[in-house]
Amino acid sequence: MVARLKNIAPVQAGLVYAALYGIIGLLFAAIFVPISMATSAAMPSSAGPGRAFGVVFGLAGLVIFPVFYAVSGFVGGLVIAALYNLVAGWTGGLQITLAPVEAPVAPASYSPPA
């Protein structure tokens, strides 16, 4: 079956992108926060504020990375969906081919719970 994608709800796209980018932010935080903490711990004690800054930034990164990426994803999703809707109005939108999906068949030995 051929279908045409003519419209994307911008807020819904923004929410999807926010969730995806938030997850990416968590992954980045999982990588960069331990590195920041380790490099701060490796500084000589005479480093003073530099060492404390690294620890604070490392802990704040657990919140900053996911929130920054989620907000960026939401705004980006809104803009991209709105632009897509504008361009789809001019061009007719993307043409996609959909295939029917059959419902999975339960094995013969399966009996649903009562």
Side-chain angles (χ1 to χ4, degrees):
M1 166 198 325
V2 175
R4 191 168 294 272
L5 179 60
K6 296 187 86 166
N7 188 29
I8 298 174
V11 173
Q12 187 65 32
L15 292 173
V16 170
Y17 276 86
L20 291 171
Y21 278 54
I23 292 168
I24 290 169
L26 284 172
L27 295 174
F28 280 167
I31 294 168
F32 289 112
V33 167
I35 292 171
S36 174
M37 300 289 283
T39 55
S40 294
M43 285 184 164
S45 59
S46 62
R51 183 175 183 169
F53 176 76
V55 171
V56 170
F57 177 75
L59 293 175
L62 293 172
V63 174
I64 292 171
F65 277 111
V67 170
F68 174 76
Y69 275 84
V71 169
S72 299
F74 182 79
V75 171
L78 280 174
V79 170
I80 293 299
L83 287 174
Y84 176 83
N85 293 339
L86 178 69
V87 172
W90 301 335
T91 63
L94 290 174
Q95 183 173 325
I96 58 175
T97 302
L98 303 173
V101 177
E102 295 182 21
V105 178
S109 63
Y110 175 77
S111 59

